[in-house]
PDB file of all heavy atoms in Angstrom:
ATOM      1  N   ALA A   1       7.266  50.984  85.189  1.00  0.00           N
ATOM      2  CA  ALA A   1       5.805  50.884  85.286  1.00  0.00           C
ATOM      3  C   ALA A   1       5.294  51.588  86.539  1.00  0.00           C
ATOM      4  O   ALA A   1       4.266  52.276  86.500  1.00  0.00           O
ATOM      5  CB  ALA A   1       5.401  49.412  85.290  1.00  0.00           C
ATOM      6  N   LYS A   2       6.019  51.449  87.633  1.00  0.00           N
ATOM      7  CA  LYS A   2       5.611  52.070  88.891  1.00  0.00           C
ATOM      8  C   LYS A   2       5.704  53.584  88.802  1.00  0.00           C
ATOM      9  O   LYS A   2       4.796  54.312  89.239  1.00  0.00           O
ATOM     10  CB  LYS A   2       6.494  51.548  90.025  1.00  0.00           C
ATOM     11  CG  LYS A   2       5.983  51.844  91.419  1.00  0.00           C
ATOM     12  CD  LYS A   2       6.755  51.045  92.461  1.00  0.00           C
ATOM     13  CE  LYS A   2       6.162  51.227  93.845  1.00  0.00           C
ATOM     14  NZ  LYS A   2       6.875  50.409  94.848  1.00  0.00           N
ATOM     15  N   LEU A   3       6.823  54.095  88.234  1.00  0.00           N
ATOM     16  CA  LEU A   3       6.992  55.546  88.117  1.00  0.00           C
ATOM     17  C   LEU A   3       5.995  56.134  87.124  1.00  0.00           C
ATOM     18  O   LEU A   3       5.503  57.255  87.320  1.00  0.00           O
ATOM     19  CB  LEU A   3       8.423  55.871  87.693  1.00  0.00           C
ATOM     20  CG  LEU A   3       8.780  57.357  87.624  1.00  0.00           C
ATOM     21  CD1 LEU A   3       8.638  58.013  88.995  1.00  0.00           C
ATOM     22  CD2 LEU A   3      10.200  57.561  87.087  1.00  0.00           C
ATOM     23  N   ASP A   4       5.677  55.386  86.079  1.00  0.00           N
ATOM     24  CA  ASP A   4       4.716  55.864  85.078  1.00  0.00           C
ATOM     25  C   ASP A   4       3.344  56.064  85.706  1.00  0.00           C
ATOM     26  O   ASP A   4       2.607  56.986  85.333  1.00  0.00           O
ATOM     27  CB  ASP A   4       4.643  54.865  83.927  1.00  0.00           C
ATOM     28  CG  ASP A   4       3.858  55.407  82.747  1.00  0.00           C
ATOM     29  OD1 ASP A   4       4.050  56.591  82.393  1.00  0.00           O
ATOM     30  OD2 ASP A   4       3.048  54.661  82.170  1.00  0.00           O
ATOM     31  N   THR A   5       3.010  55.230  86.668  1.00  0.00           N
ATOM     32  CA  THR A   5       1.731  55.374  87.370  1.00  0.00           C
ATOM     33  C   THR A   5       1.726  56.630  88.250  1.00  0.00           C
ATOM     34  O   THR A   5       0.723  57.348  88.327  1.00  0.00           O
ATOM     35  CB  THR A   5       1.463  54.132  88.241  1.00  0.00           C
ATOM     36  OG1 THR A   5       1.409  52.976  87.407  1.00  0.00           O
ATOM     37  CG2 THR A   5       0.149  54.271  88.985  1.00  0.00           C
ATOM     38  N   LYS A   6       2.883  56.895  88.891  1.00  0.00           N
ATOM     39  CA  LYS A   6       2.980  58.051  89.785  1.00  0.00           C
ATOM     40  C   LYS A   6       3.110  59.363  89.020  1.00  0.00           C
ATOM     41  O   LYS A   6       2.564  60.391  89.429  1.00  0.00           O
ATOM     42  CB  LYS A   6       4.195  57.885  90.697  1.00  0.00           C
ATOM     43  CG  LYS A   6       4.047  56.839  91.768  1.00  0.00           C
ATOM     44  CD  LYS A   6       5.292  56.823  92.662  1.00  0.00           C
ATOM     45  CE  LYS A   6       5.161  55.832  93.796  1.00  0.00           C
ATOM     46  NZ  LYS A   6       6.389  55.833  94.654  1.00  0.00           N
ATOM     47  N   LYS A   7       3.865  59.336  87.928  1.00  0.00           N
ATOM     48  CA  LYS A   7       4.151  60.562  87.175  1.00  0.00           C
ATOM     49  C   LYS A   7       3.908  60.331  85.681  1.00  0.00           C
ATOM     50  O   LYS A   7       4.841  60.244  84.893  1.00  0.00           O
ATOM     51  CB  LYS A   7       5.585  61.027  87.433  1.00  0.00           C
ATOM     52  CG  LYS A   7       5.843  61.402  88.886  1.00  0.00           C
ATOM     53  CD  LYS A   7       7.197  62.086  89.064  1.00  0.00           C
ATOM     54  CE  LYS A   7       7.368  62.568  90.492  1.00  0.00           C
ATOM     55  NZ  LYS A   7       8.640  63.314  90.688  1.00  0.00           N
ATOM     56  N   PRO A   8       2.654  60.233  85.283  1.00  0.00           N
ATOM     57  CA  PRO A   8       2.328  59.942  83.883  1.00  0.00           C
ATOM     58  C   PRO A   8       2.756  61.040  82.919  1.00  0.00           C
ATOM     59  O   PRO A   8       2.811  60.821  81.703  1.00  0.00           O
ATOM     60  CB  PRO A   8       0.805  59.773  83.900  1.00  0.00           C
ATOM     61  CG  PRO A   8       0.360  60.532  85.114  1.00  0.00           C
ATOM     62  CD  PRO A   8       1.459  60.372  86.122  1.00  0.00           C
ATOM     63  N   GLN A   9       3.076  62.235  83.447  1.00  0.00           N
ATOM     64  CA  GLN A   9       3.494  63.329  82.566  1.00  0.00           C
ATOM     65  C   GLN A   9       4.907  63.118  82.028  1.00  0.00           C
ATOM     66  O   GLN A   9       5.308  63.775  81.052  1.00  0.00           O
ATOM     67  CB  GLN A   9       3.422  64.675  83.320  1.00  0.00           C
ATOM     68  CG  GLN A   9       4.527  64.914  84.341  1.00  0.00           C
ATOM     69  CD  GLN A   9       4.271  64.276  85.692  1.00  0.00           C
ATOM     70  OE1 GLN A   9       3.362  63.468  85.839  1.00  0.00           O
ATOM     71  NE2 GLN A   9       5.057  64.662  86.676  1.00  0.00           N
ATOM     72  N   LEU A  10       5.673  62.219  82.658  1.00  0.00           N
ATOM     73  CA  LEU A  10       7.035  61.948  82.200  1.00  0.00           C
ATOM     74  C   LEU A  10       7.036  60.898  81.095  1.00  0.00           C
ATOM     75  O   LEU A  10       6.258  59.936  81.143  1.00  0.00           O
ATOM     76  CB  LEU A  10       7.894  61.444  83.358  1.00  0.00           C
ATOM     77  CG  LEU A  10       8.155  62.413  84.514  1.00  0.00           C
ATOM     78  CD1 LEU A  10       8.954  61.717  85.602  1.00  0.00           C
ATOM     79  CD2 LEU A  10       8.899  63.648  84.023  1.00  0.00           C
ATOM     80  N   ASP A  11       7.908  61.081  80.124  1.00  0.00           N
ATOM     81  CA  ASP A  11       8.051  60.090  79.055  1.00  0.00           C
ATOM     82  C   ASP A  11       9.104  59.076  79.488  1.00  0.00           C
ATOM     83  O   ASP A  11      10.282  59.180  79.138  1.00  0.00           O
ATOM     84  CB  ASP A  11       8.453  60.768  77.748  1.00  0.00           C
ATOM     85  CG  ASP A  11       8.486  59.808  76.564  1.00  0.00           C
ATOM     86  OD1 ASP A  11       8.231  58.601  76.775  1.00  0.00           O
ATOM     87  OD2 ASP A  11       8.784  60.251  75.439  1.00  0.00           O
ATOM     88  N   ILE A  12       8.680  58.085  80.254  1.00  0.00           N
ATOM     89  CA  ILE A  12       9.590  57.095  80.823  1.00  0.00           C
ATOM     90  C   ILE A  12      10.260  56.268  79.735  1.00  0.00           C
ATOM     91  O   ILE A  12      11.331  55.690  79.940  1.00  0.00           O
ATOM     92  CB  ILE A  12       8.841  56.171  81.805  1.00  0.00           C
ATOM     93  CG1 ILE A  12       8.052  56.989  82.830  1.00  0.00           C
ATOM     94  CG2 ILE A  12       9.805  55.239  82.528  1.00  0.00           C
ATOM     95  CD1 ILE A  12       8.899  57.840  83.731  1.00  0.00           C
ATOM     96  N   SER A  13       9.658  56.216  78.550  1.00  0.00           N
ATOM     97  CA  SER A  13      10.225  55.401  77.461  1.00  0.00           C
ATOM     98  C   SER A  13      11.602  55.907  77.020  1.00  0.00           C
ATOM     99  O   SER A  13      12.348  55.180  76.355  1.00  0.00           O
ATOM    100  CB  SER A  13       9.281  55.387  76.253  1.00  0.00           C
ATOM    101  OG  SER A  13       9.192  56.688  75.664  1.00  0.00           O
ATOM    102  N   LYS A  14      11.948  57.147  77.384  1.00  0.00           N
ATOM    103  CA  LYS A  14      13.254  57.686  77.007  1.00  0.00           C
ATOM    104  C   LYS A  14      14.400  57.041  77.786  1.00  0.00           C
ATOM    105  O   LYS A  14      15.559  57.138  77.379  1.00  0.00           O
ATOM    106  CB  LYS A  14      13.276  59.198  77.254  1.00  0.00           C
ATOM    107  CG  LYS A  14      12.406  60.003  76.303  1.00  0.00           C
ATOM    108  CD  LYS A  14      12.553  61.492  76.560  1.00  0.00           C
ATOM    109  CE  LYS A  14      11.763  62.309  75.557  1.00  0.00           C
ATOM    110  NZ  LYS A  14      11.922  63.775  75.797  1.00  0.00           N
ATOM    111  N   ALA A  15      14.088  56.428  78.914  1.00  0.00           N
ATOM    112  CA  ALA A  15      15.128  55.850  79.769  1.00  0.00           C
ATOM    113  C   ALA A  15      15.499  54.456  79.281  1.00  0.00           C
ATOM    114  O   ALA A  15      14.654  53.683  78.818  1.00  0.00           O
ATOM    115  CB  ALA A  15      14.648  55.789  81.215  1.00  0.00           C
ATOM    116  N   ARG A  16      16.782  54.132  79.425  1.00  0.00           N
ATOM    117  CA  ARG A  16      17.250  52.798  79.090  1.00  0.00           C
ATOM    118  C   ARG A  16      18.239  52.331  80.158  1.00  0.00           C
ATOM    119  O   ARG A  16      18.905  53.139  80.799  1.00  0.00           O
ATOM    120  CB  ARG A  16      17.905  52.754  77.712  1.00  0.00           C
ATOM    121  CG  ARG A  16      19.222  53.512  77.595  1.00  0.00           C
ATOM    122  CD  ARG A  16      19.753  53.431  76.161  1.00  0.00           C
ATOM    123  NE  ARG A  16      21.098  53.987  76.037  1.00  0.00           N
ATOM    124  CZ  ARG A  16      21.368  55.281  75.897  1.00  0.00           C
ATOM    125  NH1 ARG A  16      20.382  56.160  75.868  1.00  0.00           N
ATOM    126  NH2 ARG A  16      22.625  55.685  75.778  1.00  0.00           N
ATOM    127  N   LEU A  17      18.319  51.023  80.344  1.00  0.00           N
ATOM    128  CA  LEU A  17      19.294  50.409  81.247  1.00  0.00           C
ATOM    129  C   LEU A  17      20.421  49.867  80.388  1.00  0.00           C
ATOM    130  O   LEU A  17      20.169  49.118  79.438  1.00  0.00           O
ATOM    131  CB  LEU A  17      18.639  49.287  82.044  1.00  0.00           C
ATOM    132  CG  LEU A  17      19.493  48.651  83.145  1.00  0.00           C
ATOM    133  CD1 LEU A  17      19.664  49.617  84.314  1.00  0.00           C
ATOM    134  CD2 LEU A  17      18.855  47.345  83.627  1.00  0.00           C
ATOM    135  N   GLU A  18      21.656  50.253  80.717  1.00  0.00           N
ATOM    136  CA  GLU A  18      22.771  49.883  79.844  1.00  0.00           C
ATOM    137  C   GLU A  18      24.034  49.600  80.643  1.00  0.00           C
ATOM    138  O   GLU A  18      24.352  50.307  81.609  1.00  0.00           O
ATOM    139  CB  GLU A  18      23.046  51.017  78.844  1.00  0.00           C
ATOM    140  CG  GLU A  18      24.118  50.702  77.834  1.00  0.00           C
ATOM    141  CD  GLU A  18      24.217  51.769  76.739  1.00  0.00           C
ATOM    142  OE1 GLU A  18      23.159  52.137  76.175  1.00  0.00           O
ATOM    143  OE2 GLU A  18      25.336  52.239  76.468  1.00  0.00           O
ATOM    144  N   LYS A  19      24.761  48.553  80.243  1.00  0.00           N
ATOM    145  CA  LYS A  19      26.091  48.300  80.779  1.00  0.00           C
ATOM    146  C   LYS A  19      27.076  49.164  79.998  1.00  0.00           C
ATOM    147  O   LYS A  19      27.047  49.187  78.769  1.00  0.00           O
ATOM    148  CB  LYS A  19      26.446  46.825  80.657  1.00  0.00           C
ATOM    149  CG  LYS A  19      25.635  45.923  81.561  1.00  0.00           C
ATOM    150  CD  LYS A  19      26.057  44.468  81.430  1.00  0.00           C
ATOM    151  CE  LYS A  19      25.267  43.575  82.376  1.00  0.00           C
ATOM    152  NZ  LYS A  19      25.657  42.147  82.256  1.00  0.00           N
ATOM    153  N   PHE A  20      27.926  49.870  80.718  1.00  0.00           N
ATOM    154  CA  PHE A  20      28.812  50.858  80.095  1.00  0.00           C
ATOM    155  C   PHE A  20      30.227  50.621  80.601  1.00  0.00           C
ATOM    156  O   PHE A  20      30.486  50.674  81.804  1.00  0.00           O
ATOM    157  CB  PHE A  20      28.325  52.261  80.466  1.00  0.00           C
ATOM    158  CG  PHE A  20      29.172  53.390  79.917  1.00  0.00           C
ATOM    159  CD1 PHE A  20      29.453  53.492  78.575  1.00  0.00           C
ATOM    160  CD2 PHE A  20      29.678  54.355  80.779  1.00  0.00           C
ATOM    161  CE1 PHE A  20      30.214  54.544  78.070  1.00  0.00           C
ATOM    162  CE2 PHE A  20      30.440  55.414  80.298  1.00  0.00           C
ATOM    163  CZ  PHE A  20      30.704  55.500  78.936  1.00  0.00           C
ATOM    164  N   THR A  21      31.148  50.329  79.678  1.00  0.00           N
ATOM    165  CA  THR A  21      32.551  50.158  80.004  1.00  0.00           C
ATOM    166  C   THR A  21      33.323  51.317  79.391  1.00  0.00           C
ATOM    167  O   THR A  21      33.472  51.391  78.166  1.00  0.00           O
ATOM    168  CB  THR A  21      33.103  48.825  79.472  1.00  0.00           C
ATOM    169  OG1 THR A  21      32.287  47.746  79.943  1.00  0.00           O
ATOM    170  CG2 THR A  21      34.537  48.609  79.930  1.00  0.00           C
ATOM    171  N   GLU A  22      33.821  52.213  80.215  1.00  0.00           N
ATOM    172  CA  GLU A  22      34.471  53.413  79.700  1.00  0.00           C
ATOM    173  C   GLU A  22      35.927  53.172  79.342  1.00  0.00           C
ATOM    174  O   GLU A  22      36.454  53.782  78.415  1.00  0.00           O
ATOM    175  CB  GLU A  22      34.358  54.531  80.736  1.00  0.00           C
ATOM    176  CG  GLU A  22      34.649  55.900  80.171  1.00  0.00           C
ATOM    177  CD  GLU A  22      34.158  56.998  81.093  1.00  0.00           C
ATOM    178  OE1 GLU A  22      33.907  56.719  82.288  1.00  0.00           O
ATOM    179  OE2 GLU A  22      34.024  58.129  80.613  1.00  0.00           O
ATOM    180  N   GLY A  23      36.601  52.308  80.078  1.00  0.00           N
ATOM    181  CA  GLY A  23      37.981  51.975  79.744  1.00  0.00           C
ATOM    182  C   GLY A  23      38.989  53.028  80.170  1.00  0.00           C
ATOM    183  O   GLY A  23      38.798  53.743  81.159  1.00  0.00           O
ATOM    184  N   LEU A  24      40.055  53.141  79.403  1.00  0.00           N
ATOM    185  CA  LEU A  24      41.182  54.003  79.751  1.00  0.00           C
ATOM    186  C   LEU A  24      40.810  55.482  79.619  1.00  0.00           C
ATOM    187  O   LEU A  24      40.340  55.923  78.575  1.00  0.00           O
ATOM    188  CB  LEU A  24      42.372  53.689  78.846  1.00  0.00           C
ATOM    189  CG  LEU A  24      43.729  54.275  79.256  1.00  0.00           C
ATOM    190  CD1 LEU A  24      44.198  53.678  80.572  1.00  0.00           C
ATOM    191  CD2 LEU A  24      44.764  54.019  78.160  1.00  0.00           C
ATOM    192  N   CYS A  25      41.040  56.244  80.704  1.00  0.00           N
ATOM    193  CA  CYS A  25      40.688  57.664  80.741  1.00  0.00           C
ATOM    194  C   CYS A  25      41.723  58.439  81.552  1.00  0.00           C
ATOM    195  O   CYS A  25      42.503  57.862  82.308  1.00  0.00           O
ATOM    196  CB  CYS A  25      39.319  57.870  81.392  1.00  0.00           C
ATOM    197  SG  CYS A  25      37.921  57.137  80.524  1.00  0.00           S
ATOM    198  N   VAL A  26      41.692  59.747  81.409  1.00  0.00           N
ATOM    199  CA  VAL A  26      42.394  60.655  82.312  1.00  0.00           C
ATOM    200  C   VAL A  26      41.319  61.493  82.993  1.00  0.00           C
ATOM    201  O   VAL A  26      40.427  62.026  82.332  1.00  0.00           O
ATOM    202  CB  VAL A  26      43.404  61.541  81.571  1.00  0.00           C
ATOM    203  CG1 VAL A  26      43.968  62.622  82.504  1.00  0.00           C
ATOM    204  CG2 VAL A  26      44.539  60.702  80.994  1.00  0.00           C
ATOM    205  N   GLN A  27      41.420  61.636  84.325  1.00  0.00           N
ATOM    206  CA  GLN A  27      40.408  62.372  85.066  1.00  0.00           C
ATOM    207  C   GLN A  27      41.055  63.296  86.086  1.00  0.00           C
ATOM    208  O   GLN A  27      42.205  63.122  86.475  1.00  0.00           O
ATOM    209  CB  GLN A  27      39.449  61.419  85.775  1.00  0.00           C
ATOM    210  CG  GLN A  27      40.087  60.625  86.893  1.00  0.00           C
ATOM    211  CD  GLN A  27      39.096  59.719  87.627  1.00  0.00           C
ATOM    212  OE1 GLN A  27      37.967  59.521  87.199  1.00  0.00           O
ATOM    213  NE2 GLN A  27      39.511  59.163  88.747  1.00  0.00           N
ATOM    214  N   ALA A  28      40.274  64.285  86.509  1.00  0.00           N
ATOM    215  CA  ALA A  28      40.700  65.205  87.567  1.00  0.00           C
ATOM    216  C   ALA A  28      39.460  65.816  88.193  1.00  0.00           C
ATOM    217  O   ALA A  28      38.395  65.899  87.562  1.00  0.00           O
ATOM    218  CB  ALA A  28      41.605  66.294  87.022  1.00  0.00           C
ATOM    219  N   MET A  29      39.605  66.257  89.441  1.00  0.00           N
ATOM    220  CA  MET A  29      38.518  66.946  90.124  1.00  0.00           C
ATOM    221  C   MET A  29      38.566  68.429  89.772  1.00  0.00           C
ATOM    222  O   MET A  29      39.604  69.081  89.921  1.00  0.00           O
ATOM    223  CB  MET A  29      38.647  66.790  91.636  1.00  0.00           C
ATOM    224  CG  MET A  29      37.526  67.466  92.421  1.00  0.00           C
ATOM    225  SD  MET A  29      35.982  66.536  92.333  1.00  0.00           S
ATOM    226  CE  MET A  29      36.349  65.210  93.508  1.00  0.00           C
ATOM    227  N   HIS A  30      37.452  68.942  89.285  1.00  0.00           N
ATOM    228  CA  HIS A  30      37.313  70.384  89.043  1.00  0.00           C
ATOM    229  C   HIS A  30      36.550  70.984  90.208  1.00  0.00           C
ATOM    230  O   HIS A  30      35.454  70.516  90.551  1.00  0.00           O
ATOM    231  CB  HIS A  30      36.567  70.648  87.734  1.00  0.00           C
ATOM    232  CG  HIS A  30      36.180  72.083  87.543  1.00  0.00           C
ATOM    233  ND1 HIS A  30      37.084  73.048  87.184  1.00  0.00           N
ATOM    234  CD2 HIS A  30      34.985  72.716  87.691  1.00  0.00           C
ATOM    235  CE1 HIS A  30      36.470  74.208  87.102  1.00  0.00           C
ATOM    236  NE2 HIS A  30      35.192  74.038  87.409  1.00  0.00           N
ATOM    237  N   ILE A  31      37.115  72.003  90.837  1.00  0.00           N
ATOM    238  CA  ILE A  31      36.433  72.713  91.914  1.00  0.00           C
ATOM    239  C   ILE A  31      36.129  74.125  91.427  1.00  0.00           C
ATOM    240  O   ILE A  31      37.038  74.902  91.102  1.00  0.00           O
ATOM    241  CB  ILE A  31      37.289  72.744  93.191  1.00  0.00           C
ATOM    242  CG1 ILE A  31      37.571  71.309  93.667  1.00  0.00           C
ATOM    243  CG2 ILE A  31      36.577  73.528  94.299  1.00  0.00           C
ATOM    244  CD1 ILE A  31      38.450  71.222  94.888  1.00  0.00           C
ATOM    245  N   GLY A  32      34.856  74.452  91.363  1.00  0.00           N
ATOM    246  CA  GLY A  32      34.452  75.757  90.855  1.00  0.00           C
ATOM    247  C   GLY A  32      33.209  75.645  89.995  1.00  0.00           C
ATOM    248  O   GLY A  32      32.586  74.585  89.899  1.00  0.00           O
ATOM    249  N   SER A  33      32.851  76.727  89.364  1.00  0.00           N
ATOM    250  CA  SER A  33      31.629  76.771  88.560  1.00  0.00           C
ATOM    251  C   SER A  33      31.764  75.908  87.311  1.00  0.00           C
ATOM    252  O   SER A  33      32.870  75.636  86.830  1.00  0.00           O
ATOM    253  CB  SER A  33      31.311  78.212  88.166  1.00  0.00           C
ATOM    254  OG  SER A  33      32.225  78.663  87.184  1.00  0.00           O
ATOM    255  N   TYR A  34      30.623  75.503  86.787  1.00  0.00           N
ATOM    256  CA  TYR A  34      30.628  74.737  85.549  1.00  0.00           C
ATOM    257  C   TYR A  34      31.225  75.554  84.397  1.00  0.00           C
ATOM    258  O   TYR A  34      31.916  75.013  83.532  1.00  0.00           O
ATOM    259  CB  TYR A  34      29.206  74.302  85.193  1.00  0.00           C
ATOM    260  CG  TYR A  34      28.540  73.435  86.240  1.00  0.00           C
ATOM    261  CD1 TYR A  34      27.197  73.625  86.574  1.00  0.00           C
ATOM    262  CD2 TYR A  34      29.245  72.435  86.903  1.00  0.00           C
ATOM    263  CE1 TYR A  34      26.576  72.829  87.528  1.00  0.00           C
ATOM    264  CE2 TYR A  34      28.638  71.638  87.861  1.00  0.00           C
ATOM    265  CZ  TYR A  34      27.301  71.846  88.163  1.00  0.00           C
ATOM    266  OH  TYR A  34      26.688  71.062  89.115  1.00  0.00           O
ATOM    267  N   ASP A  35      30.982  76.852  84.398  1.00  0.00           N
ATOM    268  CA  ASP A  35      31.497  77.702  83.320  1.00  0.00           C
ATOM    269  C   ASP A  35      33.027  77.815  83.352  1.00  0.00           C
ATOM    270  O   ASP A  35      33.634  78.214  82.360  1.00  0.00           O
ATOM    271  CB  ASP A  35      30.884  79.102  83.413  1.00  0.00           C
ATOM    272  CG  ASP A  35      29.417  79.119  83.024  1.00  0.00           C
ATOM    273  OD1 ASP A  35      28.984  78.200  82.302  1.00  0.00           O
ATOM    274  OD2 ASP A  35      28.700  80.051  83.439  1.00  0.00           O
ATOM    275  N   ASP A  36      33.629  77.466  84.479  1.00  0.00           N
ATOM    276  CA  ASP A  36      35.084  77.528  84.612  1.00  0.00           C
ATOM    277  C   ASP A  36      35.753  76.185  84.309  1.00  0.00           C
ATOM    278  O   ASP A  36      36.967  76.039  84.456  1.00  0.00           O
ATOM    279  CB  ASP A  36      35.449  77.984  86.036  1.00  0.00           C
ATOM    280  CG  ASP A  36      36.918  78.363  86.175  1.00  0.00           C
ATOM    281  OD1 ASP A  36      37.480  78.923  85.218  1.00  0.00           O
ATOM    282  OD2 ASP A  36      37.504  78.088  87.248  1.00  0.00           O
ATOM    283  N   GLU A  37      34.985  75.214  83.848  1.00  0.00           N
ATOM    284  CA  GLU A  37      35.549  73.898  83.560  1.00  0.00           C
ATOM    285  C   GLU A  37      36.646  73.894  82.497  1.00  0.00           C
ATOM    286  O   GLU A  37      37.544  73.042  82.551  1.00  0.00           O
ATOM    287  CB  GLU A  37      34.437  72.931  83.155  1.00  0.00           C
ATOM    288  CG  GLU A  37      33.600  72.459  84.320  1.00  0.00           C
ATOM    289  CD  GLU A  37      32.545  71.460  83.909  1.00  0.00           C
ATOM    290  OE1 GLU A  37      32.602  70.977  82.752  1.00  0.00           O
ATOM    291  OE2 GLU A  37      31.662  71.165  84.726  1.00  0.00           O
ATOM    292  N   PRO A  38      36.613  74.797  81.494  1.00  0.00           N
ATOM    293  CA  PRO A  38      37.709  74.781  80.512  1.00  0.00           C
ATOM    294  C   PRO A  38      39.088  74.877  81.141  1.00  0.00           C
ATOM    295  O   PRO A  38      40.068  74.363  80.575  1.00  0.00           O
ATOM    296  CB  PRO A  38      37.396  76.001  79.638  1.00  0.00           C
ATOM    297  CG  PRO A  38      35.913  76.121  79.699  1.00  0.00           C
ATOM    298  CD  PRO A  38      35.554  75.755  81.112  1.00  0.00           C
TER     299      PRO A  38
END
């Protein structure tokens, strides 16, 4: 409600608050451009 008053041009209704449990994953740090992520 506060942000909608400040920035009425934004569609704040698109945002949602959600609890997210990702669970088991494999991860690594990529250093470099986004296009080099493969």
Side-chain angles (χ1 to χ4, degrees):
K2 194 168 186 178
L3 184 62
D4 190 43
T5 300
K6 288 183 177 180
K7 297 190 174 184
Q9 75 277 11
L10 295 177
D11 186 358
I12 309 296
S13 67
K14 290 184 176 181
R16 68 182 188 277
L17 187 71
E18 184 172 311
K19 291 182 178 180
F20 179 54
T21 306
E22 196 164 18
L24 193 65
C25 296
V26 171
Q27 67 178 11
M29 181 75 77
H30 170 76
I31 300 178
S33 72
Y34 300 139
D35 289 338
D36 192 36
E37 285 182 11

